Amino acid sequence: MSGHGQFLKTVRIFYSKTARAKYVSHLDTMRTITRALRRSRVPLWYTEGFNPHLYLTFALPLSLGYEGQCESFDVRLTAEMDLDTLTKRINAAMPMGFEVLRAAEPVMEPKAIVWADYQIRLLYAPADREHARQSFEVFDSQPVIEVQKKTKKGEKMVDIRPLVQTLSAQWGETGVALTLRIASGITTNINPTLYLKAFYQWANREPEGVRVVRTAILDENLREFC
């Protein structure tokens, strides 16, 4: 409830962003979802004042070019609504590549986010595959992996080794399927591309294709963000 007695309830919407939607920037994702919410006939709360706008907050923005299976945003309702009905209405208004998975009352604050898991597929030409595999084994076993990272004060060298865990690396006929756990959140946020570019430079080889999918967002105890 608001201070004026108005019904207000925060709801967390979990959704996936896949296929061609990965080329939609975060700013355009916000616009896309805002338009879908307005079309959905859901009782949404707008900020008050001279320029009212929809209350919409994202827990952890997804980088351009990445797909996500565990994305979320929060909205506020001005009337009680069945969450299954809410999910169906918003889904019906979403464009291709965006799919609402479920809705729930928020449990964690976004500041609780510490890690994110990514499934990464690197495709290599047959002539480069064995070189890439051997290079990765050496690269990933290094105690220090320094990269140049942009900060608010400029660029600086950062050791990302403690911030990236390789959970699995499965090499096959077309390349490698990696599962990485990477520091993510408000305090420390590492883009997987930093790690991948460092590997490409180390191996002196770039893959022919790359697919990055965020599969889980976790707190410090490795519980899924909810």
Side-chain angles (χ1 to χ4, degrees), residues 32 40 81 107:
T32 297
S40 68
M81 188 174 187
V107 176

Side-chain angles (χ1 to χ4, degrees), residues 136 140-141 161 164-169 177-181 195:
F136 181 78
D140 194 55
S141 65
R161 177 69 285 176
V164 180
Q165 302 172 19
T166 304
L167 303 183
S168 67
L178 301 174
T179 304
L180 301 182
R181 178 164 292 158
Y195 176 85

